[in-house]
Amino acid sequence: MSSPLLSRPGAVEAEGHDAGVAAHYGSSFAAEQRTLLSGDGFVDLSHRDVLRITGPDRLTWLHSLTTQYLEGLAVGRWTDVLLLSPQGRIEHDFSGLDDGETFWAHTEPGAGAALIDFLDRMRFMSRVEVAAVDGRFVVGRYAGGLATEFVEDLDAVAGTPVGVYAWEALRIAAGRPRFGLDTDERTIPNEVGLLGSAVHLDKGCYRGQETVARVHNLGRPPRRLTLLHLDGSVDHLPPHGADVLLGDKVVGQVGSAARHHELGPIGLALLKRNTPVDATLLADGVAAAQEPIVDPDAGLHVRAGLNM
């Protein structure tokens, strides 16, 4: 379903993962990023799937299943949450908040049905209900960092709409991985800098915790998330999934890429841990310098994650 904001003057629909919302509204990518950073802009993220979790056991139940500490979660406090496989691999992610009666969450476009199906299968005797939500939408803003909120009327949102391209550029620059775009079926949280943000390091047992704890304590994750500073003299960005080469050896893949108003062309890539951090790489023929997000030795995230 396409957003009603696509009828706004200058709106150009995004493609791929972000189809259904505006890529931009006719302004330059630099101008829209600055509008967002000023606090005057908002981003239409209404293509993201929204769900609600109700019932008196919702927070203790979610606490027992997920990587996040959710028992006693303060009303209105946003949090990022992961669900892992028994091997510690990321299977689902969502962001949300509790209003005292309902936990509201949003996840990647098209990922909601699988998330709801998994949660439904894990209810057992817990007093909870999980359902998809229509009529509640996600928008993004910048308030000292990238943040999201729920709205019920997109046309009534205050501020200047900017496209999802602006949001993506700031997200990539912040080193914030996007599930299914900067992760794959093998990704563990330690590889992508989510310890301490989406993974609470002092909570009790949850599925996949053994892997997370082992890599955290011993260090050296198999791969590491890296910010790529791409050659600005080349007229294209490497596409999602493009191989990253060190010489003639494949050392990783590109997740997402964008043009940043100050940094120029940038991208996120998952690289083999032992790739020299000072090496210049090639991503789809584009030269790329590295800015590590995850320390290749310690296995700990270097930069704190930002709530979305």
Side-chain angles (χ1 to χ4, degrees):
M1 180 177 176
S2 294
S3 169
L5 299 191
L6 285 173
S7 64
R8 297 280 182 100
V12 175
E13 184 174 357
E15 299 177 346
H17 287 74
D18 293 318
V21 297
H24 60 85
Y25 290 86
S27 299
S28 71
F29 70 87
E32 291 203 349
Q33 288 172 44
R34 293 190 183 101
T35 297
L36 186 57
L37 285 168
S38 73
D40 294 331
F42 73 91
V43 181
D44 178 4
L45 300 174
S46 61
H47 59 321
R48 292 184 64 83
D49 290 350
V50 177
L51 59 146
R52 66 172 181 262
I53 302 167
T54 55
D57 297 336
R58 65 191 181 281
L59 292 180
T60 54
W61 175 69
L62 285 171
H63 179 91
S64 69
L65 291 177
T66 73
T67 60
Q68 191 57 271
Y69 200 104
L70 296 173
E71 285 187 340
L73 180 69
V75 170
R77 179 182 175 185
W78 279 90
T79 187
D80 298 327
V81 184
L82 302 177
L83 287 161
L84 308 182
S85 74
Q87 295 76 35
R89 296 167 179 167
I90 302 172
E91 291 190 333
H92 303 280
D93 89 323
F94 56 94
S95 297
L97 79 168
D98 195 83
D99 66 4
E101 296 181 352
T102 300
F103 187 92
W104 299 93
H106 65 81
T107 188
E108 285 290 330
L115 173 58
I116 290 169
D117 179 67
F118 174 83
L119 292 173
D120 264 337
R121 288 188 282 109
M122 301 301 291
R123 284 189 302 159
F124 303 116
M125 300 299 292
S126 297
R127 297 170 297 170
V128 294
E129 296 290 337
V130 185
V133 176
D134 294 321
R136 180 170 283 223
F137 310 104
V138 183
V139 298
R141 294 188 184 274
Y142 188 88
L146 299 176
T148 53
E149 61 190 53
F150 292 113
V151 301
E152 295 183 357
D153 185 353
L154 287 168
D155 287 316
V157 177
T160 302
V162 301
V164 72
Y165 283 0
W167 177 268
E168 286 294 280
L170 300 184
R171 176 188 68 80
I172 293 168
R176 175 76 182 192
R178 185 170 168 185
F179 177 70
L181 194 60
D182 302 302
T183 67
D184 59 25
E185 69 281 355
R186 297 183 293 121
T187 304
I188 63 173
N190 314 64
E191 296 177 317
V192 288
L194 295 179
L195 303 189
S197 56
V199 178
H200 196 287
L201 294 172
D202 297 321
K203 67 166 288 186
C205 184
Y206 56 87
R207 192 168 78 156
Q209 183 191 30
E210 182 178 354
T211 297
V212 172
R214 182 174 65 251
V215 176
H216 173 64
N217 292 325
L218 300 180
R220 302 195 172 188
R223 298 175 297 175
R224 57 180 178 83
L225 189 68
T226 297
L227 179 65
L228 299 179
H229 292 272
L230 301 162
D231 182 358
S233 67
V234 180
D235 64 359
H236 76 279
L237 296 171
H240 169 69
D243 286 339
V244 179
L245 303 178
L246 175 59
D248 58 0
K249 181 180 179 182
V250 176
V251 294
Q253 282 75 39
V254 174
S256 48
R259 299 187 186 277
H260 190 271
H261 71 289
E262 290 182 340
L263 300 177
I266 54 175
L268 292 176
L270 267 176
L271 304 178
K272 291 181 179 179
R273 182 192 61 79
N274 59 0
T275 303
V277 297
D278 58 350
T280 297
L281 309 175
L282 279 178
D284 195 42
V286 182
Q290 303 175 59
E291 182 179 341
I293 294 169
V294 171
D295 186 327
D297 292 321
L300 301 176
H301 67 295
V302 173
R303 289 192 287 184
L306 299 174
N307 281 341
M308 291 182 61

